[in-house]
Amino acid sequence: MRANNSLFYGILCALATAILVHGQGQSGYISIDCGIPPHDKPQDIVTKINYVSDDDFITTGINFNVSEEYGYPKNPVLPYTLGDVRSFPQGNRNCYTLTLSKGKGNLYLIRAWFMYGNYDGKNSLPEFDLYVNVNFWSTVKFKNASDQVIKEILSFAESDTIYVCLVNKGKGTPFISGLELRPVNSSIYSTEFGRNVSLVLYQRWDIGYLNGTGRYQDDRFDRIWSSYSSISWDSVITSAYIDVFQNGYWPPDEVIKSAASPKSVDDPLELIWTSDDPNARFYAYLYFAELETLEKNESRKINILWNGSPVSETSFVPSSKYSMTFSNSKAVTGKDHLVSVQKTVDSTLPPILNAIEIFTAQSLDEFSTIIEDVQAIKNIKGTYKVSKVWSGDPCSPRLYPWEGIGCSNNNHNHQIKSLNLSSSGLQGPIAMAFKNLSLLESLDLSNNDLQQNVPEFLADLKHLKLLNLKGNNFTGLIPKSLMKRFKAGSLALSVDDQNLCHSPSCQDKKKNNMVVPIAVATAVIVLIVVLLIIWIILRQRKKGAYSGPLLPSGKRRFTYNEVSSITKNFNKVIGKGGFGIVYLGCLEDGTEIAIKMIKDTSSTESQGSSSKFQVEAELLLTVHHRNLASFVGYCDDDRSMALIYEYMANGNLQDYLSSEKAEDLSWEKRLHIAIDSAQGLEYLHDGCRPPIVHRDVKTANILLNNNLEAKIADFGLSKVLPEDDLTHVVTSVMGTLGYVDPEYYRTFVLNEKSDVYSFGVVLLELITGQRAIIKTDEGENISVADFVWPFFDAGELEGVVDPLLHGEFSPDSAWKFMEVAMSCVRERGYNRPTMSQIVAELKQCLAAELAREPQSHEDEAVKETKQN
Ligand SMILES: *[C@@H]1O[C@H](CO)[C@@H](O)[C@H](O)[C@H]1NC(C)=O
Ligand SMILES: *[C@@H]1O[C@H](CO)[C@@H](O)[C@H](O)[C@H]1NC(C)=O
Ligand SMILES: *[C@@H]1O[C@H](CO)[C@@H](O)[C@H](O)[C@H]1NC(C)=O
Ligand SMILES: *[C@@H]1O[C@H](CO)[C@@H](O)[C@H](O)[C@H]1NC(C)=O
Ligand SMILES: *[C@@H]1O[C@H](CO)[C@@H](O)[C@H](O)[C@H]1NC(C)=O
Ligand SMILES: *[C@@H]1O[C@H](CO)[C@@H](O)[C@H](O)[C@H]1NC(C)=O
Ligand SMILES: *[C@@H]1O[C@H](CO)[C@@H](O)[C@H](O)[C@H]1NC(C)=O
Ligand SMILES: *[C@@H]1O[C@H](CO)[C@@H](O)[C@H](O)[C@H]1NC(C)=O
Ligand SMILES: *[C@@H]1O[C@H](CO)[C@@H](O)[C@H](O)[C@H]1NC(C)=O
């Protein structure tokens, strides 16, 4: 028996190795040296493996070096990654996210390294669990501080990322020293369970070779082979070429070219082990290649038995040309295991074994969270930069869900049932993503800095039973749909008072031990505000600067009889609105006023809410701006409610534009009207706290006084009117055809940008002289925006601009104006400009128009500077 030493095979072998090193290298490898400084990319000079630091794979954890006595240079043979660790004192589950270059559906070898090395100086050995994705992998335990624990698993990837999670079981802080992932040929290491199990490495032995390093660059899957031999065995080694590729297992040369056979020809070659877990399902993969040159009268034929049962169906003859791999087709369970490699009776030579790998099967029986919930919660995590330890699957493993999350556990998947983000530093509006958590029952967002409106879509969460929004910065009211569920008792709702009702007065209704102080404080504040305003008005009146009418002795609250006498028994109707009829009135000093009688609200509820009406009306009295129609008083008694405004001689813009007076409305005058109304809206949005959304911006609500100064009317009406009337508002006012923000239509979320949309329509009416809804020659109704769009798209002014202007305008100014108007009517609210941006742009339009004929516009220019 002498070793086969063919030169030809030797050359082939060298070639094959060269191809491997250059062609494959470490392609698809992920090699993390946990605990090294960020962005470090060291190479292990022994294995030539290129490592990286953790920072692309995990955001949590703290780096440590092992203590001196366990690290380099005291222990020069320490495996590369063991000198430092990343430790996870926070959160019960910390996960590395490994993104797979070869993608899902493939088999991967994952290996994790651990050595405690007293890195934390506590001399206390932790015990913790490892998971791959949602499934248990292994428990990590140490015998002593220098114990090197290496865990390895072969797992099929179900998605393009694999999570490796360390779970704190309350037995010490988890840590990790190194983490490696290698793509493996998916057609090997198969079991009868297909992809339903992962294989956890139990032992991997290179039989008969005692001088090996255990890890070889020509092992594409970078397995680590431990040396194993026995005193009753002989080592056999060859340098001949052996093809390891054919069956896909690709054992490295060093492993396959060494083997052992029993010293005594008739003895079997036996491997024995005892399992801690009698239910563990074992698989063994045995490698064979003939390393000796057989004489004609020699033969080697082998049988493999496992606890007495054959592993291979028939006996076989190892080949000297290529390696063979045998494994049991069905899992073997039990406590004691004996694998026996025996020669057959007709074999003249003893059996041989080159290598063996033993695994236990780990079922993949845990479920993941449904993808919709995962996407939604990740979106929430990203939107608010949630700083919790949230990694891996939100709900799974079910004993360790993400902090603040509770899940439903049924037999197919998990869904998020509760989410507690209280005091988590959330900022901004409530994200749409919450809506996608379709099974959510409890949502606690209290004590954050959430802003804007409480969105309607929260009411779409059918299962929601608890909603805590307290301690945030929401503006506006809780949507009716939510209030309805709250009132029906199906939703426990906690909100700040300012979001619960229109006015301080309704706080009285709450069973709140702060009622008396709040009521008194409110009354005092209202009183102070009212006095302050009267004082300001009186002062301004002295200076002659206040343009609105004044009521005798600052009176603002009227009785029905007084209103009746002011309007001369309601004899002159000057308008009709959704709320009721508007009458002309005249005060004793001759000031003309407009009195809006609110439609009869003689139902019993309105009686109860009349004091609320009063408080709101008082509050509205405090809103003052030169471009807001002055609200000068109200009537609120048993018989009726009325709002009293200054009278605007030139009526509303809609009527004006369609009257013969429009002939004289120059482009410059139109620009002034646009700027005036824009400033009025800007004040409502930005100057009022909380902001007031008008909700019904339209040319009919823009009033013109004697000097054609424009003022916004009807602002805050929806605030003033009793809540029970809001449905009425929705149908008759908030939905004025042609002005309604389409996004509001879809989402029912109303905000400042809805006003911007409506204002865009107003601007388009101003420039075109058309109404918001245009009847085409074909008898079709189209919006003014749709009418303008083709011209705008083609860059044409002609055909769009009101013919009444007779071309008397700066094209630059008109074009810019058109751009502003069209940007206001954009589909998405967030794409629309704010009112202050609009004001600035419109002023530029005016400047462009004034630049057209500088001389003749001098006095207007002066006026314009005053306005600023
Ligand atoms: C670990 O030791 C290295 C080399 O001495 C040093 O650069 C690194 O900062 C140490 N890391 C920590 C977390 O102390
Ligand atoms: C630590 O445990 C390992 C594994 O059991 C053992 O080989 C080693 O000798 C132990 N070292 C010390 C210092 O006890
Ligand atoms: C894997 O599990 C699925 C679902 O339980 C089952 O339908 C399938 O037959 C299993 N495959 C194998 C190979 O066991
Ligand atoms: C291992 O190495 C030693 C010394 O380097 C050598 O004497 C021995 O033959 C080698 N054994 C094998 C099996 O290669
Ligand atoms: C995987 O192994 C099989 C043989 O079992 C082989 O046919 C196939 O080409 C290998 N795949 C890759 C990607 O190497
Ligand atoms: C095989 O033949 C050789 C001589 O060629 C002899 O020395 C050897 O004993 C034979 N072996 C067996 C098992 O018959
Ligand atoms: C919410 O669900 C819708 C429809 O299923 C989807 O289009 C949207 O992207 C999801 N949003 C998030 C944040 O997951
Ligand atoms: C949310 O967590 C906070 C503390 O973290 C707790 O006070 C509160 O009760 C929790 N909310 C719910 C609904 O369980
Ligand atoms: C609300 O917003 C204001 C300013 O926008 C900020 O100063 C305040 O801290 C916020 N309140 C809360 C509770 O976050």
Side-chain angles (χ1 to χ4, degrees), residues 417-462:
K417 263 169 80 175
S418 68
L419 178 54
N420 189 345
L421 283 170
S422 138
S423 306
S424 302
L426 314 190
Q427 265 186 328
I430 291 190
M432 284 288 280
F434 284 102
K435 183 177 156 186
N436 284 17
L437 297 172
S438 55
L439 220 60
L440 201 62
E441 291 177 2
S442 159
L443 178 59
D444 190 341
L445 297 174
S446 58
N447 301 317
N448 288 295
D449 189 12
L450 292 167
Q451 288 147 8
Q452 301 188 8
N453 288 324
V454 174
E456 291 258 3
F457 63 67
L458 287 180
D460 296 349
L461 293 167
K462 286 203 263 324

Side-chain angles (χ1 to χ4, degrees), residues 398-411:
R398 65 183 73 187
L399 284 179
Y400 309 99
W402 284 2
E403 184 191 345
I405 280 181
C407 298
S408 72
N409 299 308
N410 65 31
N411 290 331

Side-chain angles (χ1 to χ4, degrees), residues 370-381 394 433 436-437:
I370 66 164
I371 187 76
E372 290 80 6
D373 280 20
V374 172
Q375 276 166 0
I377 196 74
K378 283 191 172 166
N379 181 298
I380 290 165
K381 182 185 173 204
N436 284 17
L437 297 172

